[in-house]
Amino acid sequence: MSEIVSDAGGAPPGRVSPGIQRALQHIERHFTDAVYLDDLAALAGLSVCRFVTVFRRQIGLTPHRFVCHRRIRYAKALLRDGVPMARVASEAGFFDQSHLSRHFKSICGTTPGRYLREHMMQPPPRRGAYLHAATI
C-alpha cells in the first residue's frame, strides 16, 4: 500500500485513514475500469464532497488525478513492454489513444511516443561491479 501513496507523492502511509486506505485498495484493484466517486466515498464512509476533500488532504491529489497517475504508470510499463499504443490506451483504462496522450502529456510532460523513443535510446543498466578507470 505504501508504494501506491508514495508514487503519487502523497502523505506517508501512517497518516492515511482506514477509509481512504480502503478507497486506495479499490482503486489499485480496479484502476483499469471505471472508478466512481460514489463507490469510493461509500468505501471510506464519507459523503462524496467530504471524501474528495479528505482524499486530497491525505494523498496530495484528487481521486480523479490519482487514478490518472496510476493508469499512466501502468501505461508506461505496457509501452516499455512493446504493447501498441492503441492497445495500451484500452488496457490502461483510457477511452482511446488521444485520451491517453492528453493525460500522459499532462502528467509526464511528454507524449507517449516521445517517452518510448527516449526510453528505448537509454542503454540498459549494467549488471555487476562498476570499476572506475582510476582503480584499474
Side-chain angles (χ1 to χ4, degrees), residues 17-78:
S17 67
I20 299 299
Q21 286 179 0
R22 285 190 299 275
L24 289 170
Q25 290 168 348
H26 179 80
I27 291 169
E28 185 60 27
R29 285 191 305 269
H30 302 285
F31 69 89
T32 59
D33 303 322
V35 178
Y36 297 100
L37 272 177
D38 291 339
D39 297 339
L40 296 175
L43 286 168
L46 300 168
S47 70
V48 171
C49 291
R50 185 68 184 147
F51 171 75
V52 172
T53 300
V54 171
F55 190 96
R56 187 178 60 242
R57 282 187 188 150
Q58 292 185 12
I59 304 304
L61 298 169
T62 64
H64 177 259
R65 197 73 177 153
F66 184 86
V67 171
C68 289
H69 275 254
R70 182 61 187 96
R71 287 175 176 168
I72 292 299
R73 190 165 30 119
Y74 183 57
K76 283 179 169 181
L78 293 175

Side-chain angles (χ1 to χ4, degrees), residues 97-114:
Q97 190 172 335
S98 66
H99 188 218
L100 164 66
S101 293
R102 276 194 314 276
H103 284 285
F104 199 100
K105 188 166 185 178
S106 169
I107 290 170
C108 301
T110 188
T111 63
R114 180 170 288 152

